[in-house]
Structure formats: C-alpha cells, structure tokens
Amino acid sequence: MAVQDYLSVAVWLEYVQFAIGLMGEEGGIERVRSVFEKALTSCGLHVTQGVSIWEAYREFEMAIYMGLMAQAIGADAAVQDRDSANRQKEKVKSLFKRQLRVPLYDMNGTFEEYKEFVAECNEPVDKNIEHQYKKAFDQLNQRKDFEAALMTSDPPHLEEYRSYLAFEKKHGDPARVQCLFERAIQENCLAGDLWLQYLEYLDSDLKIANIVLAVYERAVRNCPWTVAIWQRYMVALERTEAEDGKVQDVFNRALNSGLTQAADYVATWLIYIDYLRRRISWDGEDEADRRLRTDAVRNAFAKAHEQLTEFFGDKADPSAQVVKYWAFFEAFYCKRMDEARKLWNEKIMQLGHGREASFWLEFYQFERVFGDENHCRKVLLKGVHTASDFPEMIVEELKNFERYYGTLESYDSSMEKCEAQMERVRERREKAAGKELQAAKKQGKPAAAKPGQQKPVAPKQKGAAAAPSAQNQKRLTAVLQQHTQSVEKANQRKAPAGRMEEQENGSGASAAAPGPDEASMVDSEGFKVPGFCAPKKAPKRAANDTEQDDGEGADKRRAWEPEVKKPRVDEAVRNQQTVFVSNLAFSTDEEQVKAAFHRASISGLVEVRLVGKRGNRSRGYGYVEFDNEASAMQALSIDRTMVEGRPMFVSVCRPDGEREKVFHFSTELEKSKLFISNLPFTITKEALNTIFEPYGPLKDVRMVTYRNGKPKGLAYVEYATEEAAQQAILKCNGLLIGDREIAVAISNPPKRKEPGFRKDDDETPEMRMYLGASVEELGPRGRGRSQVQLLPRSLSVKATPALAAGQTAQPAKMSNDDFRKMLLK
C-alpha cells in the first residue's frame, strides 16, 4: 500500500476520503474510524501537516454528532437517541483533548474551536485540557526554529533533519522521533546512513518487532547497496526469533543485491555464519540435530570460501577471516584440532600467506591456545624456513618459546636450524642486492639519464653486500684515468719527435688538428702507415678560473680529459621531483609548457625537457623537473590544463622499468560520483556547477574530452557525500538542457580489459559499432583490407559463380581506369 512506503499526509487524506465513500455499507462508520486512527498513528505528530488529519477526523465525528442531535431534539425523541448523541459528544471532546496535547501548527485556533464547542454544550472549559494545551504550545515554540529551517532551506534538508532529530532524541519521545525519521526518509529515501540511524534507534529504543522488521524491509528495498543494512536485518530477524527460512531468504537476497566489494561479501557471510553457529545447542540432548546444524555451519564455511575465491581470486579475503573462523570453530566447538591444522596449512599457508611472517605467528598463537608444545615448535620452525619477509620475527618468537618451554637440547637444535636458515636468507639477500647493483651500473651512463629512468637502489637488508656509491664512483674514476695514461704513452711512442716536443713545451700548436705529415708515416719500403694522434693536452688554467667553466674552454677540456661523473642528485629523488607531461601538440615548445605551470603559481621549476624534438616539433610528451617534491606534487593538480587547445596530461614520473599504462580514474562503483551523458557539446564546466551544486557540496566536476580537447558530451560530477549524489539523481535524471535530455547515474564504469585482450570471434559488427569501433570489411583469410597483399593484382583472379541454365551473364562493372582508356581511343 502507498501509505506504508513513505509518510504522506496527502495520501492518507485520499485514503480517508475513499473510506468515507464506503461509509454506507455495513460497519462503514467503524471502518472509517479505523482508517483515521491509523492515519493519526502514522502522521498525527507531523508538526506542520498533522493538523489536517485531526481536523478531518473531528469534522467527521462532528457531522455524526449533528445528525444525532437533530434526532434527539424533538419532543418525541427517544431516550436512546439522546444517549447516542451524548456518547458522540464525548467522542468529539475526546478528539479535542487528544489534539490539544500534541504540538501542532494552528493550535490556538483549535483551542478556540474547543471553547466554542463546550459553550454550545453549556459546559465549562476543562482545566486539564487547558493545561495540556499550554504545555503543548510551549513545546511547539521550541520546535518552530527547526521547522522554519526546514521551510527556508533547499531540499532535501538532510542536515536540518539531523539537527532536528538530535533535539527530539534528547527529549526522548519515541513516537515523535519515529515520525520525524519518517519525514526525513520521505525526502532522503536513498540515504543509506539515514536508514542506518533510523534502524539503530528502532532496535535500541522502540523494540517492537513488527514495526522494526517492516522498516528493515523498506530500507533494503530503497538502499540495497548498503551492506550494513542487510547485516543488521539478519541480526534483527535472529533477535525476533524469525524462522530459519526467512533469515536464509534475506541472506540470499543480500548476496544478489549487487555487492561490488569483496569485503562486503566477507562481512555478509560472517554474519550469516554467526547466525548458524548460534543456532547450535551444544548442551542439548538431541545429538542428531546438533550434528545436522554443525554440518550446516561447515557447509557455509566451505561455500563462502569457494564463492569468494571464484569471484575475487586469492586476494578476496586478505586477512583470511573466513578460514580462521572456520579453524576456530573446528578447534573450539568441535574439538577437531587435526581438521583445524589442515585448514591453516591448506587454505591459508599454501594459498599465498605462507611467505608472510605475521600469519605464521598467528598460527603459532592458535597452537598455543588449542594445540601442544610440539606443534608450536613445528609451526615456528616451518615459519622460519618459509617466511620471506621478516623471518627474524619468527626466530625471536622461537627463542622465547624455547626459553619458556624447551630443554637445552631442543634449544640448541632449534637455534642451529635457525642460524643455518638465516645464513641462507642473508645469501639470497646479498645475491639480490648484487643483481640490483649490476642493473644500476648498466643503467648508469656518462650522459644525463632520462628523468623516467631511475637507478635501482639495493634494499637495506641485513647481510646485504651493497657498496657505497662514493666508492663505486671513485673506482670508476681510477679505471678511466689508468686507461687514459696508457693511451697517452702509446701515442708518445709512435708520434713524430716534433709533435712530442710541442706537447712537452705546451705550445699553442698542440691544440690544433694534426696535419697530413703528422697523422701518417712512411716505412722503409715507401708505404704510408697511419700514425697516432696524441691526445690534446689541457691548457694552463688561470688562478681565477672557476671549476665549472663553460663555453669553448669546457669543450676543449672534454676533448682530452676522461669524463668523470660529477656528484649529482640521486635518481630516485629526481624522479620524485619530476612530473611527466603528455598529449601536447607537436608544435608546443618548452616556453609554453613553462607558462602553463607559472600561470598555476607553481614555484621551483628547474627545467622542461620535451622528448624527441626535431626542428620545431616534439613528440608530444616530456618531463618537467622541480627543485623540491612539494612543487612536483602541486603540479599534478593542473592535470588536463589546456595548452594550445589540447588538455595537457600531468602524471607522476616513473622509471622505464616500472612504467605501465595506468588509468588515472577509478573503475569501481563510486556512490558519491555521478556519470552524466547526452550533454550538449556547448555546455561548460561552470554551467554544470550551477546545475548540480544546489543538491550538495561538490568535490570535482570533470568534462570528458577527446585528446584534442573537444568535448564528448559526457561528464563526471563528484559530491562530498553519497546523499547529495542520490538527490541529484532524483532531481536531474532526464533534465532537459537545450535540446538534449541528459541521463544521470551512479558512476560504475565497466572494468578495463587486461593487456593482450582479444575480442571473441563471435562478436558481431553491430556490437563493434555499439562499442564505437568502425566495421571494416575483411579481406581473404580474415585479414584487414589495409594489409599488404603479396600476390600481384595482375595475377589475382576473382572467382566467378557458374551461370545457371538459361541465365545470361551480366556485363562486368567498369572502373575509372576503363572509362579513361575508352575515352582516349
């Protein structure tokens, strides 16, 4: 029924009018009164609109009273008629009394009507009713400010309702609090947190089963995505001792309600398993029933683990809550420690957690509670040999265990095994560090490395054999100097005497290029043999020359000096201070990129390097380096800023080995973000702000564009709260903007395909056109028409179908070349 979904005074009045129309039937008057009483229970406490129900009820009773009075006034009126009129008069007075005890708008008018009514009946005003009226009027004055805030604010008034509810809860009238919750729900039916507050209040204060469960049913119908409501619903059913079939039905509906997160499935399964476990009577005498219910719990554990693994993989339950609970159930309740150990080994350790020291320590604690000393020692020793992250923690715990429970022999044996394993761990770490160091040396080049290339740094692990970078630099410098000296000696042995004298005297001719006579010599038989050009000697430096001169002097020094890498900022630090820019126009230069960052007031810009620059064109991407990490993080905020009519993408700079295509936006369900489609191409971001801002504070508005900056007619609007997004859906979905009717929905984009994904063979052209792809006719053997055909066209012969009997061959279609040859004849 409509009156059971949401609180609506108008709907109740329509219902009452319908019931009054059937008043002539047998029992019609009592049926109308029953409807009125239900209406008063539902919305009689509505401060602003409840007076309409009260007045309609009084008018109905007054009409009956006036009819009875007309029959009782005559001289021939029976005593029974007068008694009926008096009873009806008491009903009218009772309605006045009930209404004047409730704080409602226009209370003073109701009190005046009451005084007129008792005056007509020649009766005094009831002092008790007058006292209740004054008390209710004071309560109304306390609520007027809250009602005024609701009237003056924009819908859906969620914050105003929250303040109002806090006031009503403080005064502790459950009926009034429930009525106000219903008013708030009527305008915020998609606000999951509001439903949760309402349900929590009903569970803790009202505790009337039929009312509470009816509200739960409405809540899951309005907000099926709120997993907490489903969980509370199952607990409420258990609290009210509902049938097993009802709880199972709600549980199945929860699983099929469209939950998107693995954590939601885990929480829902755990609530249901709690319910199944609590149904078991461990002290009861019915062994068959206990065995049946125990098997039901085990089946639930197994099905939960299977479903989570199927839907979300091994990472569905990262902390293994379900299997740990299962193992606890077997060990504590069923006394099946062997089965519990099997669960730990097969479903936790062998499925990805065996290399984590924290899980081995939990297993050890589990054995300490339910197992014995031998199994505790076995778990710790196995953990030392298996854990790869922090085996030292397990070694320390094993030492403590042997200290408390072990003998000298067991202590020596355990420590010997631990030391042997830790030695192997140190060797593995040293090898890993050595490999990373070699990779770092291979990546190191004399020229400046690209900002996207980061030198791998060996992790600082115990036993790692990574040498300091300063020593590596010093050793490389010594090798280069030794190589240079050997080259100089070889050249001095084979160079002409005059050339050697010039080098020793340091004359200016030594800086000139070698002549023909100097570059070659003639042997005894008259054949020319190539000579060796001596390396250029460094010119004498003036005392006031700086260490890092530039220009021609620097170029000359580089010609003869071995290049020694100067100390520079670590590559990891440079990467953190650098951002990657892309989607630039090929004509964009460094100055235009710098200007974009300067306009955003981002300081500390050191350099802009565009990659692959040829002439005045680049490849459309590059790197922007800053002198501090804070400026680089601030630069990410101007992502998609327009530069030369194209949105410039700004992202984090990653090394080449770690760089991968990353989608910058979420692909999960975001309940506070809206997806708007079918927008006019002329709409602006400011216009979207104006349209969607009335429904709540906005966090971001993003227009979706092509890479050239032209709009796609799509946008994302993100609110600060889920409630604001839900209100925007209700108000704006189907809104007409210009000549387009926009569609507004919760942002839930499809999952992006993994690399290497191939479309199915049965995908139709219509499906490809729907996805935005062009439908191209395929050539022979399924190849596209754009591929090169290895057979020359002059030799390719198209198959012609055979002609049926009596069928004439159609003339072949002529090409443009055929027409041209025909005209040139």
Coordinates of all heavy atoms in Angstrom, one line a residue, residues 100-101 107-109 111 128-138:
L100 N -5.2 18.7 21.4 CA -4.6 19.8 22.1 C -3.4 19.4 22.9 O -2.7 20.2 23.5 CB -5.6 20.5 23.0 CG -6.7 21.2 22.2 CD1 -7.8 21.7 23.1 CD2 -6.1 22.4 21.4
R101 N -3.1 18.1 23.1 CA -1.9 17.6 23.8 C -0.7 17.5 22.9 O 0.4 17.2 23.3 CB -2.2 16.3 24.4 CG -3.3 16.3 25.5 CD -3.6 14.9 26.0 NE -2.5 14.3 26.6 CZ -2.5 13.1 27.1 NH1 -3.6 12.3 27.0 NH2 -1.4 12.5 27.6
M107 N -2.5 25.7 16.8 CA -3.0 25.2 18.0 C -4.0 26.1 18.6 O -5.0 25.7 19.2 CB -1.9 24.9 19.0 CG -1.1 23.6 18.7 SD -0.1 23.2 20.1 CE -1.3 22.7 21.3
N108 N -3.7 27.4 18.5 CA -4.6 28.4 19.1 C -6.0 28.4 18.5 O -7.0 28.5 19.1 CB -4.0 29.8 19.1 CG -3.5 30.1 17.6 OD1 -3.6 29.3 16.7 ND2 -3.0 31.4 17.5
G109 N -6.0 28.2 17.2 CA -7.3 28.1 16.5 C -8.1 26.9 17.0 O -9.3 26.9 17.1
F111 N -7.9 25.5 19.9 CA -8.3 25.7 21.3 C -9.5 26.6 21.3 O -10.5 26.4 22.1 CB -7.2 26.3 22.1 CG -7.5 26.4 23.5 CD1 -7.7 25.3 24.3 CD2 -7.7 27.7 24.1 CE1 -8.0 25.5 25.7 CE2 -8.0 27.8 25.5 CZ -8.2 26.7 26.3
N128 N -8.0 20.7 32.8 CA -6.9 19.7 32.5 C -6.5 19.9 31.0 O -5.4 19.9 30.6 CB -7.3 18.3 32.8 CG -6.2 17.3 32.6 OD1 -5.1 17.6 32.7 ND2 -6.6 16.1 32.2
I129 N -7.6 20.0 30.2 CA -7.3 20.2 28.7 C -6.6 21.5 28.5 O -5.7 21.6 27.7 CB -8.7 20.2 27.9 CG1 -9.3 18.8 28.0 CG2 -8.4 20.6 26.5 CD1 -10.6 18.7 27.3
E130 N -7.0 22.6 29.2 CA -6.3 23.9 29.0 C -4.9 23.8 29.5 O -4.0 24.4 28.8 CB -7.0 24.9 29.8 CG -6.5 26.3 29.6 CD -7.3 27.4 30.4 OE1 -8.2 27.0 31.2 OE2 -7.0 28.6 30.2
H131 N -4.6 23.1 30.5 CA -3.2 22.9 31.0 C -2.3 22.1 29.9 O -1.2 22.5 29.6 CB -3.2 22.2 32.3 CG -1.8 21.8 32.8 ND1 -0.9 22.8 33.3 CD2 -1.2 20.6 32.8 CE1 0.2 22.2 33.6 NE2 0.1 20.9 33.4
Q132 N -2.9 21.0 29.4 CA -2.2 20.3 28.4 C -2.0 21.1 27.1 O -1.0 21.0 26.5 CB -3.0 19.0 28.0 CG -3.2 18.0 29.2 CD -1.8 17.4 29.5 OE1 -0.9 17.3 28.7 NE2 -1.7 17.0 30.8
Y133 N -2.9 22.0 26.8 CA -2.8 22.8 25.6 C -1.6 23.8 25.8 O -0.8 24.0 24.9 CB -4.1 23.6 25.4 CG -3.9 24.9 24.6 CD1 -3.6 24.9 23.2 CD2 -4.0 26.2 25.2 CE1 -3.4 26.0 22.5 CE2 -3.8 27.3 24.5 CZ -3.5 27.3 23.1 OH -3.3 28.4 22.4
K134 N -1.5 24.4 27.0 CA -0.4 25.4 27.2 C 1.0 24.6 27.2 O 1.9 25.2 26.7 CB -0.6 26.0 28.6 CG -1.8 27.0 28.6 CD -1.9 27.6 29.9 CE -3.1 28.6 30.0 NZ -3.3 29.2 31.3
K135 N 1.0 23.4 27.7 CA 2.2 22.7 27.7 C 2.6 22.3 26.3 O 3.8 22.5 25.9 CB 2.0 21.4 28.5 CG 3.3 20.6 28.7 CD 3.0 19.4 29.6 CE 4.3 18.5 29.7 NZ 4.0 17.3 30.5
A136 N 1.6 21.9 25.5 CA 1.9 21.6 24.1 C 2.3 22.8 23.3 O 3.2 22.7 22.4 CB 0.7 20.9 23.4
F137 N 1.7 24.0 23.6 CA 2.1 25.2 22.9 C 3.5 25.6 23.2 O 4.2 26.1 22.3 CB 1.1 26.3 23.4 CG 1.2 27.5 22.5 CD1 0.6 27.6 21.2 CD2 1.9 28.7 22.9 CE1 0.7 28.7 20.4 CE2 2.0 29.8 22.1 CZ 1.4 29.8 20.9
D138 N 4.0 25.4 24.4 CA 5.4 25.6 24.7 C 6.3 24.7 23.9 O 7.4 25.1 23.5 CB 5.6 25.5 26.2 CG 4.9 26.5 27.1 OD1 4.6 27.6 26.5 OD2 4.7 26.3 28.3

